Amino acid sequence: SIPIAKQLASVKALEKGSDLEKAFATAALVYNNSADPEGKLSKAETKSLLHTQFGRFIQGQENKPKYQEIISALDEESENKIDFEDFMILLVSLTLMSDLLQEIKNVKTTK
């Protein structure tokens, strides 16, 4: 398997891309590397990916009602698989409720 950083570097359009463009491209590559040939993830793969790639954002959330609600909604997915769009919505939702988000907001941007 080719490292994500090397995959990202191979996308010529991102050579001078912004930090945000590279962040979203990284998310897309991580997703694509785990997705099945139809471009979807099973619920189990999604949960595994969250724990391995997004663990610092979900840490401490597991017992909170909102986290449980989001994961339950994932479990209710009718075809038992999610696509990239749903995955990104999941990431955004988990980011918004994360304890880590407040710490990120408090990062100093000037000296």
Side-chain angles (χ1 to χ4, degrees), residues 14-66:
L14 291 175
E15 284 176 0
K16 295 181 181 175
S18 70
D19 292 340
L20 192 55
E21 288 171 324
K22 289 177 183 175
F24 273 83
T26 299
L29 286 168
V30 167
Y31 177 90
N32 286 339
N33 286 341
S34 297
D36 66 17
E38 295 175 356
K40 296 189 177 191
L41 290 177
S42 71
K43 291 183 288 190
E45 290 166 328
T46 301
K47 288 179 183 180
S48 175
L49 196 57
L50 289 176
H51 285 283
T52 60
Q53 294 288 327
F54 215 62
R56 287 177 181 81
F57 276 90
I58 62 175
Q59 186 174 13
Q61 302 297 316
E62 293 89 345
N63 296 321
K64 294 185 178 179
K66 189 65 176 171

Side-chain angles (χ1 to χ4, degrees), residues 20-110:
L20 192 55
E21 288 171 324
K22 289 177 183 175
F24 273 83
T26 299
L29 286 168
V30 167
Y31 177 90
N32 286 339
N33 286 341
S34 297
D36 66 17
E38 295 175 356
K40 296 189 177 191
L41 290 177
S42 71
K43 291 183 288 190
E45 290 166 328
T46 301
K47 288 179 183 180
S48 175
L49 196 57
L50 289 176
H51 285 283
T52 60
Q53 294 288 327
F54 215 62
R56 287 177 181 81
F57 276 90
I58 62 175
Q59 186 174 13
Q61 302 297 316
E62 293 89 345
N63 296 321
K64 294 185 178 179
K66 189 65 176 171
Y67 177 87
Q68 292 298 329
E69 182 182 321
I70 290 170
I71 296 302
S72 291
L74 176 62
D75 285 337
E76 292 168 8
E77 184 65 36
S78 60
E79 62 180 41
N80 292 324
K81 293 191 175 192
I82 69 166
D83 60 16
F84 180 66
E85 181 180 340
D86 290 336
F87 181 74
M88 291 303 289
I89 292 168
L90 178 63
L91 290 185
V92 170
S93 300
L94 293 172
T95 299
L96 291 173
M97 58 178 261
S98 172
D99 295 337
L100 185 56
L101 183 59
Q102 190 56 49
E103 190 176 331
I104 291 167
K105 287 180 180 180
N106 292 334
V107 170
K108 293 191 187 327
T109 55
T110 58

